[in-house]
Amino acid sequence: MKAKIDQFFGLKSANTNIRQEVIAGLTTFLSMAYITVVNPVILSDAGMDFGAVFIATCIAAAVGTLVMGLYANYPIALAPGMGQNAFFTYGIVLGMGHTWQTALGAVFLSGIIFIVLSVFPVREWLINAIPKSLKLGISAGIGLFLGLIALSGSGIIVGNPTTIVTLGNISSPPAILTLLGFVIIAALSYRKLAGAVVIGMLAVTVIGWLTGFAKFKGVLSAPPSASAFLELDIIGAFDISMITVILTLLLVDIFDTAGTLVGVANRAGMLDNKGNLPRLKPALLADSSATVAGSLLGTSSTTSFIESAAGVESGGRTGLTSVTTAILFLLCLFISPLAQSIPSFATGAALLFVACIMARALENLEWANITEATPAVVT
């Protein structure tokens, strides 16, 4: 069995081994496990059932990551993307007034288009046709929006008719615990500790349980009975008003995927002499098919996670890393009570940290060139 695994994933040629790959897979999982809680919280604001989205998140992450590992043989994990889920809830559903079923239909169609683009060379033209400044602006802008959601949800900022937004009651328990969780996550991340986001969330969650500001509902149970499987409205997504929605979902998914694949592969030393990513087609097909699968299961766009870099730093070099991460996502199905015990101030801390990470995209902007900086800031 060991020889077959070695041969299938090419462990020896990648200068790695089973133990190293499994540890890398665990590291990647710990770095992005927060999505199993944060994604259901965000999508529940769109009217979706928390338990149903929790199941969809875990299975979509497992399926997408498994395909990436077995088909593309990359140590890259997938899950419903941060930013895409915010646009799904606050842009499509609450902002434009569409139902979450129609929004899922739009995600499905964007995934189908992404698959078609992944098969044909047009994908490279599309990625290169959009100016770099706009790509960076999109990423940073979504990050700032997530930060706004985190700060607003915890009461750190509130609406004001004069100044539009103003400081809230930062001495309130939710605000204090959100900021405490954020500081813990940032400090642990600086120390390069795997699972910093999860540890920070759990730390303030436990404080919330002990002080009565959050309720502990248990740890293990059978997966929730609720389901959003095949609840999408594809016909409704064909409405002319959904064209811009589908294109937005598609472009964000493509840019996010391309950036993540290149970034993680670069850290792993997988790029060729020209700086191109080998096996790009199967990697894009794995990502695009994961978006389609996720929409059928009942979640927003599923995409490659930059947190996969944590696993690469731990020695992950092949798809066996992804397979390990996928198995751990499946095991998460049995901890739904714990997921529902994590309060909003804990997820707010994670959102605020992710916002800071996404805003770092602007560091690559040519600030001295006004024709590059201005479009990015406006975007």
Side-chain angles (χ1 to χ4, degrees):
M1 179 62 71
K2 183 179 180 181
K4 289 183 178 179
I5 293 176
D6 191 327
Q7 182 180 10
F8 183 86
F9 292 104
L11 301 182
K12 189 172 296 184
S13 60
N15 195 28
T16 184
N17 55 63
I18 294 177
R19 178 178 178 276
Q20 184 170 303
E21 293 290 297
V22 170
I23 292 176
L26 174 61
T27 302
T28 295
F29 172 76
L30 290 174
S31 298
M32 58 186 289
Y34 67 87
I35 195 63
T36 61
V37 177
V38 177
N39 192 55
V41 167
I42 292 179
L43 265 59
S44 62
D45 284 348
M48 300 186 71
D49 181 83
F50 182 98
V53 179
F54 176 78
I55 290 179
T57 301
C58 293
I59 296 180
V63 171
T65 304
L66 199 60
V67 174
M68 181 66 78
L70 296 177
Y71 179 51
N73 196 25
Y74 273 117
I76 296 175
L78 292 85
M82 295 299 299
Q84 288 98 320
N85 50 13
F87 177 64
F88 181 100
T89 295
Y90 306 107
I92 304 174
V93 179
L94 299 181
M96 302 178 188
H98 296 291
T99 65
W100 59 263
Q101 291 90 343
T102 302
L104 285 177
V107 172
F108 174 83
L109 293 178
S110 71
I112 293 295
I113 297 173
F114 194 1
I115 289 178
V116 174
L117 294 178
S118 299
V119 173
F120 298 102
V122 68
R123 65 182 182 274
E124 297 176 3
W125 172 84
L126 182 61
I127 292 175
N128 295 328
I130 305 299
K132 179 183 178 182
S133 60
L134 296 190
K135 296 176 185 177
L136 298 174
I138 290 172
S139 179
I142 292 175
L144 294 176
F145 182 51
L146 287 177
L148 192 69
I149 293 171
L151 294 172
S152 176
S154 58
I156 296 175
I157 59 173
V158 294
N160 184 288
T162 303
T163 61
I164 302 178
V165 64
T166 190
L167 195 64
N169 180 14
I170 59 174
S171 63
S172 66
I176 292 175
L177 289 171
T178 296
L179 294 174
L180 176 61
F182 171 72
V183 170
I184 292 174
I185 293 171
L188 294 179
S189 295
Y190 175 75
R191 296 291 181 180
K192 301 187 182 303
L193 182 65
V197 176
V198 175
I199 294 172
M201 289 175 61
L202 289 178
V204 292
T205 295
V206 171
I207 294 175
W209 293 341
L210 296 177
T211 55
F213 294 112
K215 185 177 180 181
F216 177 67
K217 300 179 182 179
V219 178
L220 298 174
S221 75
S225 57
S227 174
F229 182 59
L230 296 182
E231 290 290 327
L232 69 170
D233 180 8
I234 299 176
I235 301 300
F238 274 105
D239 188 274
I240 192 170
S241 63
M242 297 296 288
I243 293 178
T244 55
V245 169
I246 295 172
L247 288 177
T248 300
L249 289 169
L250 174 65
L251 291 176
V252 171
D253 199 5
I254 289 177
F255 297 153
D256 192 20
T257 298
T260 299
L261 289 175
V262 173
V264 174
N266 182 50
R267 286 198 182 189
M270 295 178 175
L271 299 181
D272 60 23
N273 296 330
K274 296 181 179 180
N276 296 323
L277 186 70
R279 306 190 307 279
L280 176 61
K281 183 176 180 179
L284 290 176
L285 282 173
D287 197 292
S288 53
S289 61
T291 292
V292 173
S295 67
L296 296 174
L297 290 165
T299 185
S300 51
S301 302
T302 303
T303 188
S304 301
F305 261 56
I306 194 63
E307 283 85 348
S308 302
V312 167
E313 294 291 341
S314 297
R317 291 295 181 271
T318 74
L320 183 55
T321 294
S322 297
V323 172
T324 302
T325 304
I327 293 173
L328 292 172
F329 270 118
L330 287 178
L331 293 178
C332 273
L333 287 170
F334 301 95
I335 61 169
S336 60
L338 178 61
Q340 296 184 57
S341 300
I342 296 178
S344 59
F345 52 76
T347 56
L351 279 177
L352 191 55
F353 179 74
V354 172
C356 294
I357 296 300
M358 294 184 70
R360 284 174 54 187
L362 292 179
E363 71 179 344
N364 297 316
L365 192 64
E366 297 179 43
W367 288 103
N369 186 342
I370 196 67
T371 65
E372 291 290 321
T374 302
V377 173
V378 170
T379 300

